[in-house]
Amino acid sequence: MHTTVGIIGGGPAGLLLARLLHRAGVDSVVLESRDRAYVERRQRAGILEQGTVDVLRSVGAGARLDREGLVHDGIELRFDGRAHRLDFPALTGGRRVTVYAQTEVVKDLVALQLAEGGPLLFEAEVHAVDGADTDRPAIRYTHEGREQTLTCDYVVGCDGFHGIARTAVPEHLRTTYERTYPYSWLGILAEAPPVYDELIYAHSPRGFALASMRTPAVSRLYLQVPNGTDPADWPDERVWDELDARFALDSAPDWRLKRGPVTQKAVLPMRSWVTEPMRHGRLLLAGDAAHIVPPTGAKGLNLAVADVVVLARALAHRADTGSEELLEAYSDTCLRRVWRAEHFSYAMTTTLHAAPAQSPFDTRLQLAQLERIATSPHAAAELADNYTGLPMG
């Protein structure tokens, strides 16, 4: 089998790229190692930038998003016993974010691909990418018990950090930049209505906390915990009590979260990671195959969307004109945005979390920065611009 673009990975990046290419008249095949049920229940991000929402609408994946997504006009910062709200539309000229889980994005894109797009093969395990530096690369994979080969004009790796695509770039040709943070997140999903209609980011002497949601009846909540924490050491009541303590306000001492049954509990490590370049010959990397950010700034899924928007434009330009100018610029174009997002995520993370050996001086610096955001329109606008999404490409 031969196709113009072979896409490894059927997550949001690979599926959206296939959809963008389909609408541009460029054929593709998507190979996903997991089955459909697994892909559609894989819990990941839930905050969509304004640009991500606009792209999903543009490819026909906006109907359920517009019907069920929760539009947020800001976030609340809690620090030093006080609360301060950032009004995103006022600070950005109208941009917002939308809470709509990655699982739902994937369901919408899978349905579109199966109904209208090119082949989407589930349980297709990729073993290797051959000839990335030639004009006819090939993907070797197993599907339905048979070893098969897909030849392509281009291969796109959307298969994440642990996927095969990244390792197909020779080690001596790639450079990796990495930071591992000295804390993790304990995340819970609870059948409890959110206590507030927007996200709350809390800086506390006890550590960071985040109150988010999946639906009007389901809360998503996080606590900073030490690396290596076992979720079993945090029974439900301890989690709820600690969340209440970290969100406490001097002006509302009786403020409490709404509690309910905890349906999921897991510890998430925090890291920043970038590999350069994002292109080797006719192999191109996108999303987590090329970069990871800590979840504090809600950039992971949105960075993947920005990558494939730039890439789809470049591949369509190649198909229309024969020119590889945009493909040759792909890595540099994306990495400019990636590093901006890495910096924003780093700043949010280090400002809101308490490091294990943090000194009182460090804490005062964090509070000074949060106070600056609360009182300076310029600082608030910078955070809002980054949070709602920088231009794609």
Side-chain angles (χ1 to χ4, degrees):
M1 182 164 54
H2 180 82
T3 188
T4 301
V5 182
I7 300 171
I8 307 173
L15 292 167
L16 179 58
L17 176 60
R19 185 68 183 161
L20 289 164
L21 293 175
H22 174 73
R23 292 173 71 88
V26 179
D27 62 290
S28 68
V29 174
V30 181
L31 304 175
E32 166 57 46
S33 64
R34 302 284 192 164
D35 63 37
R36 180 177 179 179
Y38 181 93
V39 169
E40 292 187 339
R41 67 173 181 263
R42 200 161 34 190
Q43 290 289 336
R44 293 289 188 274
I47 306 295
L48 307 184
E49 295 174 357
Q50 181 71 63
T52 296
V53 171
D54 294 343
V55 169
L56 291 170
R57 287 173 178 154
S58 75
V59 300
R64 200 161 66 92
L65 165 61
D66 287 335
R67 187 170 63 251
E68 299 178 11
L70 306 176
V71 178
H72 285 192
D73 285 341
I75 58 171
E76 183 176 284
L77 297 176
R78 292 193 179 185
F79 61 96
D80 203 22
R82 294 174 288 140
H84 178 80
R85 181 178 180 271
L86 297 181
D87 185 330
F88 288 162
L91 292 164
T92 65
R95 297 205 306 279
R96 297 167 165 83
V97 296
T98 299
V99 174
Y100 190 66
Q102 177 173 313
T103 49
E104 306 311 309
V105 173
V106 168
K107 289 175 188 175
D108 296 340
L109 291 171
V110 165
L112 284 169
Q113 184 70 9
L114 293 176
E116 304 174 12
L120 166 56
L121 305 183
F122 292 105
E123 298 181 88
E125 184 178 358
V126 174
H127 305 297
V129 176
D130 297 328
D133 54 355
T134 71
D135 61 1
R136 198 174 178 84
I139 304 170
R140 289 192 284 113
Y141 66 101
T142 300
H143 184 242
E144 297 180 341
R146 294 175 49 232
E147 291 191 9
Q148 303 186 50
T149 299
L150 174 67
T151 58
C152 322
D153 295 340
Y154 297 93
V155 176
V156 180
C158 299
D159 52 343
F161 176 80
H162 297 290
I164 199 73
R166 179 177 60 87
T167 61
V169 180
E171 190 171 356
H172 70 281
L173 295 179
R174 51 185 159 97
T175 303
T176 298
Y177 304 90
E178 184 173 15
R179 174 184 290 272
T180 300
Y181 294 86
Y183 32 71
S184 300
W185 278 8
L186 174 67
I188 66 167
L189 205 62
E191 293 178 357
V195 73
Y196 187 57
D197 57 4
E198 294 173 345
L199 273 66
I200 306 174
Y201 287 78
H203 174 283
S204 159
R206 305 172 69 96
F208 170 76
L210 171 63
S212 182
M213 67 283 292
R214 282 293 177 263
T215 72
V218 177
S219 292
R220 185 72 162 144
L221 300 141
Y222 299 95
L223 284 171
Q224 175 189 341
V225 293
N227 287 342
T229 292
D230 184 346
D233 294 335
W234 283 82
D236 296 355
E237 286 303 307
R238 182 187 179 193
V239 173
W240 288 115
D241 290 345
E242 188 64 24
L243 286 164
D244 283 340
R246 296 190 191 186
F247 287 117
L249 293 170
D250 292 344
S251 61
D254 296 329
W255 189 95
R256 295 290 185 274
L257 291 160
K258 297 172 183 176
R259 301 189 179 192
V262 174
T263 57
Q264 290 184 20
K265 188 183 298 179
V267 171
L268 314 172
M270 306 280 284
R271 63 188 303 221
S272 300
W273 175 86
V274 181
T275 188
E276 298 185 9
M278 291 171 60
R279 179 188 181 186
H280 169 60
R282 294 202 170 198
L283 168 65
L284 304 109
L285 305 178
D288 286 0
H291 43 73
I292 294 172
V293 290
T296 323
K299 294 296 108 181
L301 171 59
N302 296 293
L303 271 183
V305 169
D307 288 348
V308 299
V309 166
V310 172
L311 183 51
R313 187 183 304 136
L315 289 165
H317 181 72
R318 169 68 173 79
D320 291 342
T321 69
S323 169
E324 293 205 351
E325 178 185 4
L326 297 184
L327 283 169
E328 290 169 355
Y330 167 72
S331 181
D332 289 342
T333 299
C334 288
L335 284 169
R336 282 192 293 271
R337 194 179 196 274
V338 166
W339 280 110
R340 290 277 301 275
E342 290 283 358
H343 180 265
F344 173 67
S345 299
Y346 167 82
M348 287 280 286
T349 301
T350 55
T351 298
L352 290 164
H353 291 71
Q358 183 159 305
S359 70
F361 182 86
D362 295 329
T363 301
R364 294 297 296 173
L365 288 178
Q366 290 176 323
L367 292 172
Q369 174 61 10
L370 290 166
E371 186 68 29
R372 177 172 174 264
I373 293 167
T375 57
S376 165
H378 298 293
E382 182 179 14
L383 188 153
D385 269 337
N386 282 276
Y387 199 98
T388 58
L390 301 171
M392 295 186 183

